[in-house]
Amino acid sequence: MTFRFRRLEALLGVPLAEATYRHFADLINVFDGREADDLDFKATYAGPTKSDSVAADVATFANSRGGVIVIGINDKQGVPVAQPGVSLADSFIRELHTAIMERVRPVPVYDIKSLPEDPGSLDNPKQGLLLIIVPPSVNAPHAVMDPTLKGMLKFPYRHESQKFWMSELQVAAAYRRRYTVALDSAQRAAQIETEVLAQLARSLGYSPLPQPVLTVSLAPEMPGDLTITAAELDRVRQDLVHDELLLGRSPGSAFFTAAQVGSCRFIASGPLHGRTAWTHLHTDGAASVVFPLEIRGVQGSTTAVSDTQIVLLTLAALRFFGRHAAERAGATGTARLTVRAVADVRLFPAADQPLAEAIDRLLKQRSQSCQPYDPEADLMIVNAGGAWSGKEPARNAYGESTVFLDDLLNDAPPLAAATGALAGALLQAYGVPEPRQIRPGGILVPQEWEEYRLAAADWAGKADIAMA
């Protein structure tokens, strides 16, 4: 389970994965620890309605913003008042699993975690608390069978600490919302990518050389809400100063050296390969970056760049975006990731008028050079020795994937896996089945990172990432 509940973690003082029996016991008689839209207390599930009750509670959280059901705590008007505990026997846990699997359709993602009262009884726990952890679902709304209506399916949802049942219109709206959320995030990713490309295009001067770039964008499916203030701008600037974005970069050497405020976003920039990298960090947690790519050679109309550089910059962007989206903006759940390599940003097929105008202005300057832009310019990826790493050139390669935001928050195996999946989706446009730097599942191959092999090995060792 990779979803995090930030309000609960702030309340408990530790990440949910590290919470113990004692952390929840300390909420007894604490008003701030009362039931809410992400927290529910149950003394136990028992009697003939046990299966119906646990199924309905799990579906309720899945259809809402997700939440945690704590079994083994009594409450009075939502405030926890006693922790009598509950049996942690395997048979009871199996009954809960069976009820959820049989009575909720479709079955949501969830996890059941035991918290024994006695820490020394981990091998054979008897009594304690059970947590049912339910992230918000991005699938169709979940239904449960209502025994009072002869098995008719009903759709529960949660508001504050109460359970309600959806009307027909609400169910229809929920289906539409589930089916359009992926489209909405895809459109959002395309929008913010175009905006950051426009930022770069407006800053470009004329050059007879190609201008290859890499863009990486993130659009959360459950957006956050960051308020822009002078204090927040100062915090962003301080974060940028201390952010070790790229592997192998000297500690304390800031990548983005300037930050300012734009419309509902922070805009930051920094030098890279003699040009300028730009990033937009939006208040809803969305983010996009455009990196100039270092040219490793030009053959006819084809420009060569390093595949290692693409993987390195993709990793840098995901490390950077995860913290902005989840920790700064408060976005949760899954996120749509996109990556694009463009042979020359001035030839990008822009649908956005400001970007089209900026590129057109630059194209009109081509009379200053005896070498006009080649509208058929391609990009090819190579390794350190200059050999082509792929078999196909492309002038506008694209890849996408979906991840849990929490997979991007820490230097850990899920981040490596997410990087490999996204970079791999892009490299397939060049005829490469998978990135040689990161194998499926996030296994790093340091010797394939070329000049960054020592930095990659050091990072993997510190982050407990498997290496081949």
Side-chain angles (χ1 to χ4, degrees), residues 58 85 96 163 223 298 319 438:
V58 168
L96 297 177
K163 180 192 302 160
V298 178
R319 296 173 79 199
I438 305 179

Side-chain angles (χ1 to χ4, degrees), residues 67 97 139 167 176 186 193 267 380 422 457 459:
H97 279 300
N139 298 315
S167 65
R176 286 195 298 270
E193 177 194 59
I267 300 172
M380 177 56 76
L422 184 61
W459 179 70

Side-chain angles (χ1 to χ4, degrees), residues 196-331:
V196 79
L197 281 168
Q199 182 85 54
L200 174 65
R202 285 191 291 267
S203 70
L204 283 174
Y206 179 78
S207 170
L209 296 175
Q211 302 280 336
V213 299
L214 180 80
T215 71
V216 184
S217 302
L218 177 151
E221 293 185 342
M222 297 187 67
D225 186 15
L226 171 67
T227 300
I228 292 180
T229 63
E232 192 62 41
L233 176 60
D234 287 341
R235 280 191 287 272
V236 169
R237 287 171 172 163
Q238 288 299 313
D239 289 344
L240 295 178
V241 167
H242 298 99
D243 205 329
E244 296 180 10
L245 189 62
L246 289 177
L247 299 187
R249 198 174 179 92
S250 301
S253 177
F255 182 82
F256 291 113
T257 55
Q260 63 192 57
V261 170
S263 176
C264 298
R265 76 197 71 179
F266 295 104
I267 300 172
S269 61
L272 184 65
H273 306 313
R275 291 182 282 158
T276 302
W278 292 89
T279 186
H280 289 187
L281 306 173
H282 296 258
T283 54
D284 64 353
S288 190
V289 65
V290 55
F291 294 114
L293 292 171
E294 182 181 14
I295 298 174
R296 295 293 178 92
V298 178
Q299 186 179 52
S301 63
T302 300
T303 302
V305 299
S306 162
D307 61 345
T308 298
Q309 183 181 186
I310 287 175
V311 175
L312 176 76
L313 294 175
T314 301
L315 171 60
L318 298 191
R319 296 173 79 199
F320 187 52
F321 290 168
R323 292 192 292 273
H324 167 70
E327 296 181 350
R328 186 179 293 129

Side-chain angles (χ1 to χ4, degrees), residues 15-313:
L16 193 59
E18 300 174 13
T20 66
Y21 177 94
R22 181 48 50 195
H23 288 102
F24 283 93
D26 287 344
L27 299 181
I28 299 303
N29 295 319
V30 175
F31 184 74
D32 287 343
R34 66 191 182 280
E35 293 181 334
D37 58 0
D38 58 358
L39 180 62
D40 194 15
F41 297 112
K42 298 290 181 184
T44 188
Y45 286 104
T49 62
K50 172 174 61 179
S51 295
D52 303 313
S53 298
V54 66
D57 289 341
V58 168
T60 298
F61 278 121
N63 285 339
S64 306
R65 296 184 61 86
V68 178
I69 304 167
V70 184
I71 309 173
I73 290 183
N74 289 330
D75 71 277
K76 184 176 182 179
Q77 297 181 336
V79 177
V81 294
Q83 70 276 16
V86 70
S87 169
L88 302 184
D90 289 342
S91 58
F92 181 55
I93 296 175
R94 283 197 300 270
E95 288 179 18
L96 297 177
H97 279 300
T98 299
I100 297 167
M101 298 293 288
E102 290 184 348
R103 296 174 183 263
V104 183
R105 290 292 180 271
V107 179
V109 174
Y110 73 97
D111 192 20
I112 297 181
K113 179 180 179 180
S114 298
L115 300 182
E117 184 175 358
D118 177 11
S121 66
L122 288 175
D123 293 333
N124 187 27
K126 300 295 185 182
Q127 192 80 3
L129 303 177
L130 280 176
L131 307 185
I132 304 181
I133 305 168
V134 188
S137 177
V138 295
N139 298 315
H142 300 272
V144 293
M145 293 183 292
D146 187 341
T148 65
L149 296 176
K150 298 182 179 180
M152 181 182 294
L153 295 179
K154 295 185 67 178
F155 297 81
Y157 70 98
R158 192 173 180 89
H159 177 66
E160 296 180 345
S161 62
Q162 300 298 312
K163 180 192 302 160
F164 297 91
W165 300 94
M166 297 183 191
S167 65
E168 250 183 79
L169 288 177
Q170 287 175 311
V171 172
Y175 271 103
R176 286 195 298 270
R177 185 168 59 251
R178 299 300 191 196
Y179 285 131
T180 60
V181 67
L183 177 62
D184 291 344
S185 60
Q187 291 175 339
R188 179 64 171 144
Q191 174 194 10
I192 62 176
E193 177 194 59
T194 300
E195 290 171 351
V196 79
L197 281 168
Q199 182 85 54
L200 174 65
R202 285 191 291 267
S203 70
L204 283 174
Y206 179 78
S207 170
L209 296 175
Q211 302 280 336
V213 299
L214 180 80
T215 71
V216 184
S217 302
L218 177 151
E221 293 185 342
M222 297 187 67
D225 186 15
L226 171 67
T227 300
I228 292 180
T229 63
E232 192 62 41
L233 176 60
D234 287 341
R235 280 191 287 272
V236 169
R237 287 171 172 163
Q238 288 299 313
D239 289 344
L240 295 178
V241 167
H242 298 99
D243 205 329
E244 296 180 10
L245 189 62
L246 289 177
L247 299 187
R249 198 174 179 92
S250 301
S253 177
F255 182 82
F256 291 113
T257 55
Q260 63 192 57
V261 170
S263 176
C264 298
R265 76 197 71 179
F266 295 104
I267 300 172
S269 61
L272 184 65
H273 306 313
R275 291 182 282 158
T276 302
W278 292 89
T279 186
H280 289 187
L281 306 173
H282 296 258
T283 54
D284 64 353
S288 190
V289 65
V290 55
F291 294 114
L293 292 171
E294 182 181 14
I295 298 174
R296 295 293 178 92
V298 178
Q299 186 179 52
S301 63
T302 300
T303 302
V305 299
S306 162
D307 61 345
T308 298
Q309 183 181 186
I310 287 175
V311 175
L312 176 76
L313 294 175

